[in-house]
Amino acid sequence: MNVTTPTGVPDDAYWQRPDPNTPGEPDRPAPEPAPGPTYPGPPRTPPPSAHWRPPTIASPPPPRSLPPQDMDALDESEGSARTVTYGVGLVAAAIALILLCLLCARFLF
């Protein structure tokens, strides 16, 4: 597919930069900006007053101590929770196995 511009010049040649070695228009200097007022920038803000911050407490109170932990009671409750979790998992697995066997038996027979 050949795409051309309205001038009839091939598409790539139309968009290429002019050759710097060919004589053409002399380089024109950049135009001078129009004389006029320049923007000096935003006005300076006044400094804040010395009392703009809220009062602060010089020394905060020390942190409270945590209650003591009974490590033997924690180990015992974790063990019983593990037993319950394994029991529920075994019951769910047994029910799933029975349902799977019933489903397979129905397809086979």
Side-chain angles (χ1 to χ4, degrees):
M1 181 166 99
N2 188 4
V3 179
T4 59
T5 59
T7 59
V9 179
D11 193 32
D12 290 339
Y14 182 75
W15 295 106
Q16 286 181 351
R17 292 180 181 222
D19 187 17
N21 297 330
T22 56
E25 289 187 35
D27 291 334
R28 287 187 242 160
E32 294 291 326
T38 58
Y39 179 64
R44 296 187 58 83
T45 56
S49 74
H51 305 290
W52 71 272
R53 293 179 190 238
T56 57
I57 299 173
S59 60
R64 297 177 291 167
S65 62
L66 294 173
Q69 295 181 354
D70 186 5
M71 297 308 266
D72 294 332
L74 285 174
D75 290 340
E76 184 180 330
S77 64
E78 284 179 3
S80 62
R82 186 181 318 113
T83 304
V84 169
T85 302
Y86 287 160
V88 170
L90 285 174
V91 169
I95 292 172
L97 182 64
I98 291 171
L99 289 175
L100 185 62
C101 288
L102 287 174
L103 184 65
C104 290
R106 183 174 174 118
F107 281 125
L108 292 177
F109 302 113

